[in-house]
């Protein structure tokens, strides 16, 4: 119902499983290096940029639900990146 290619959804899911494991590992550290946080922020920014590119490029046409889903998760990732940046500023 999203009209997104199966390969894209499977690849995104696999990336997100690895990403979640990496973030869980970082979260368990007693202290996190600022460079690690900047890396997380940069990768979140790349995810958002890729999401927006996916919406802008006419490589395929997701349904309205697919477009809304892509935009919604991009906004959520921007929110996480902003919170990570604020946390970095507060504890640096």
């Amino acid at each position: 119902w999203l009209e997104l290619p199966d390969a894209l959804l499977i690849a995104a899911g696999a990336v997100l499983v690895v990403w979640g494991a990496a973030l869980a590992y970082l979260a368990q550290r007693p202290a996190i290096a600022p460079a690690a946080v900047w890396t997380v922020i940069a990768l979140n920014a790349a995810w958002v940029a890729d999401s927006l590119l996916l919406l802008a490029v006419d490589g395929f046409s997701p349904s309205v639900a697919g477009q809304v889903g892509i935009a919604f998760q991009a906004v959520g990732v921007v929110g996480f990146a902003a919170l990570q940046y604020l946390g970095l500023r507060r504890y640096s």
Side-chain angles (χ1 to χ4, degrees):
W1 56 277
L2 298 176
E3 295 181 27
L4 295 167
D6 291 342
L8 174 69
L9 295 174
I10 290 168
V15 166
L16 290 173
V17 167
V18 172
W19 183 241
L23 291 178
Y25 172 77
L26 271 178
Q28 293 177 1
R29 310 305 312 156
I32 302 172
V37 179
W38 279 114
T39 300
V40 169
I41 293 169
L43 290 171
N44 281 338
W47 182 274
V48 171
D50 287 346
S51 297
L52 296 177
L53 184 64
L54 194 63
L55 291 173
V57 172
D58 194 24
F60 61 92
S61 298
S63 67
V64 172
Q67 293 172 14
V68 169
I70 292 168
F72 184 73
Q73 60 81 30
V75 169
V77 173
V78 166
F80 283 128
L83 290 171
Q84 291 155 353
Y85 175 73
L86 291 173
L88 184 62
R89 286 192 54 199
R90 181 173 183 184
Y91 293 106
S92 292

